[in-house]
Amino acid sequence: MKIVIIGGTGLIGSKTVDRLRKRGHEVIAASPNTGVNTITGEGLAAALAGAEVVVDLANSPSFEDRAVLEFFETSGRNLFAAEKTAGVKHHIALSVVGTERLQASGYFRGKLAQERLIKASGVPYTIVHSTQFMEFLSGIAQSGTVGDKVHLSPAYVQPIASDDVADAMTDVTLAAPVNTTIEIAGPERFRLTELVARYLKAMGDPRKVEPDPQAPYFGALLEDGSLVSDNNPRLGQITFEQWFKTSARK
């Protein structure tokens, strides 16, 4: 089976490409640096020719409100035009648990616009909502840093390791489209403040975490249920401690 991974050179994309190739499939790792650009359309038709499945793992290079929206809308329209020409049978996209609950954030408005395009495209699809990746903990800490303090919401998170995400995306890619949204999540729940504090301490980082219910998360205020899944998610196997020992310092 020929499979095209949009964003195939990124964190999740590269791991998913590797897994699918090991199972014997023809996989195109599509990204601007491999000559495939979903914004300009460059290389898209050639990459999708003969493809049965397209997996969209690309992310906006900018988190500015207008730029995010334009990225996901333009990319989506170009992708679906090319997919219909190529006769693609399954479109898969990775999105975020809580997207519909976090519409105060321009980023999540962009993700919701992407999901609406998918549902209206006429191409059979599966949308995968994932909780936050453990690999993003450093960035989350940095986003809340003022001086030597890290101001973060104490809302719950259910972090998942990128290897578990790639395993899930591989299985979804090789399954039939479900024309709905499924969810994946990590095996443990933490307060965001507790988790980041543990991460910083383990990294030897002297910054201190300050709980602040009014601290925005990518522009949106969080409630306890904003970022966790209660929708019968597929749970990852890798705990925070296991991930930290094997992957955190890479």
Side-chain angles (χ1 to χ4, degrees):
M1 183 162 64
K2 180 178 177 180
I3 301 162
V4 177
I5 310 290
I6 306 297
T9 59
L11 173 65
I12 305 301
S14 58
K15 292 173 183 282
T16 305
V17 166
D18 182 59
R19 284 159 169 75
L20 289 166
R21 284 177 177 164
K22 285 179 177 176
R23 296 198 191 189
H25 298 284
E26 177 189 356
V27 187
I28 305 297
S31 67
N33 59 17
T34 65
V36 182
N37 191 316
T38 59
I39 300 301
T40 65
E42 177 193 0
L44 199 53
L48 266 60
E52 292 187 44
V53 180
V54 171
V55 185
D56 188 1
L57 302 176
N59 206 357
S60 173
S62 168
F63 277 33
E64 189 274 323
D65 288 4
R66 182 180 293 276
V68 169
L69 186 62
E70 288 180 353
F71 175 87
F72 285 119
E73 288 187 334
T74 302
S75 178
R77 292 190 182 104
N78 288 340
L79 261 179
F80 287 120
E83 286 180 23
K84 289 178 181 179
T85 299
V88 169
K89 298 179 175 64
H90 190 185
H91 178 95
I92 300 159
L94 181 61
S95 192
V96 186
V97 166
T99 289
E100 69 286 351
R101 298 190 286 265
L102 296 168
Q103 289 299 292
S105 162
Y107 179 78
F108 289 103
R109 289 196 296 273
K111 292 300 289 183
L112 189 61
Q114 177 192 31
E115 293 182 22
R116 286 172 173 161
L117 282 171
I118 293 167
K119 293 173 183 178
S121 70
V123 178
Y125 71 90
T126 303
I127 297 171
V128 180
H129 272 189
S130 174
T131 53
Q132 282 58 42
F133 305 160
M134 293 184 194
E135 285 80 1
F136 288 176
L137 285 172
S138 176
I140 290 170
Q142 188 58 40
S143 72
T145 296
V146 179
D148 63 351
K149 300 287 195 302
V150 182
H151 299 266
L152 293 174
S153 166
Y156 284 107
V157 290
Q158 198 166 344
I160 186 169
S162 61
D163 281 321
D164 280 334
V165 177
D167 286 343
M169 297 308 296
T170 299
D171 290 344
V172 171
T173 300
L174 300 179
V178 295
N179 295 314
T180 191
T181 300
I182 62 175
E183 296 194 345
I184 60 176
E188 304 168 294
R189 285 191 184 186
F190 306 89
R191 296 282 183 185
L192 180 59
T193 43
E194 171 200 353
L195 179 63
V196 172
R198 285 179 63 180
Y199 171 77
L200 293 177
K201 182 178 179 180
M203 291 293 289
D205 191 313
R207 286 177 291 174
K208 300 299 181 185
V209 176
E210 295 281 342
D212 180 0
Q214 298 303 307
Y217 183 85
F218 296 104
L221 297 182
L222 299 179
E223 298 179 357
D224 273 352
S226 296
L227 296 177
V228 294
S229 175
D230 290 313
N231 190 28
N232 192 31
R234 166 176 166 155
L235 295 179
Q237 302 297 310
I238 301 169
T239 66
F240 170 76
E241 290 294 338
Q242 290 168 333
W243 170 80
F244 190 87
K245 288 177 182 177
T246 59
S247 303
R249 297 182 188 275
K250 288 184 179 179

